[in-house]
């Protein structure tokens, strides 16, 4: 599947919604894991660049998430990629862009990541 690297150096990025476990199956509540067996999380961020603002839902492996990500926290996105997707469900074609990052790290002063 095609992956497109996303340039973030000129963007302002803040947490819009604290990290949540990524649900693989809404009916059963099964949590998604990657090929290495690592639990996946979803972080919604406000991504502001080029005079436009969007809310992006980003999938991140649990170890790649700072422990101090609350709403409004400025963050850095490491290894952000966009992946176009398309599927058909009940005869309806759907498509979109999925975002995935290696890490979401707090940029707030005094954060645990800076203290390390």
């Amino acid at each position: 599947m095609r992956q497109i690297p996303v340039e973030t150096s000129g963007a302002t990025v803040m947490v819009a919604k604290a990290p949540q476990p990524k649900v693989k199956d809404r009916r059963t509540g099964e949590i998604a894991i990657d090929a290495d067996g690592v639990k996946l999380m979803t972080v919604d961020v406000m991504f502001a660049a080029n005079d436009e603002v969007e809310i992006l839902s980003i999938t991140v492996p649990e170890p790649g998430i700072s422990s101090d990500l609350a709403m409004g926290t400025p963050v850095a996105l490491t290894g952000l990629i966009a992946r176009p997707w398309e599927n058909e469900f009940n005869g309806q074609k759907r498509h979109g862009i999925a975002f995935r990052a290696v890490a979401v790290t707090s940029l707030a002063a005094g954060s645990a990541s800076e203290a390390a």
Side-chain angles (χ1 to χ4, degrees):
M1 184 176 282
R2 189 174 74 203
Q3 295 182 14
I4 304 163
V6 178
E7 175 61 45
T8 61
S9 62
T12 299
V13 185
M14 294 172 52
V15 175
K17 185 177 178 184
Q20 308 281 323
K22 182 175 178 74
V23 178
K24 179 178 180 179
D25 186 333
R26 290 185 186 139
R27 292 171 296 173
T28 65
E30 181 183 359
I31 302 301
I33 57 172
D34 67 11
D36 297 322
V38 176
K39 180 177 173 183
L40 295 175
M41 304 291 285
T42 301
V43 182
D44 291 352
V45 299
M46 179 203 74
F47 190 93
N50 304 320
D51 294 326
E52 293 188 25
V53 177
E54 291 192 49
I55 301 295
L56 304 180
S57 190
I58 301 174
T59 299
V60 184
E62 188 174 38
I65 294 180
S66 290
S67 61
D68 51 352
L69 297 184
M71 185 184 299
T73 304
V75 293
L77 303 174
T78 303
L80 182 64
I81 58 147
R83 181 179 302 166
W85 61 268
E86 181 177 278
N87 65 24
E88 188 171 333
F89 183 73
N90 288 338
Q92 298 282 337
K93 285 196 175 198
R94 299 178 58 208
H95 58 88
I97 299 173
F99 293 92
R100 182 158 178 160
V102 172
V104 177
T105 310
S106 173
L107 296 177
S111 71
S113 59
E114 287 183 22

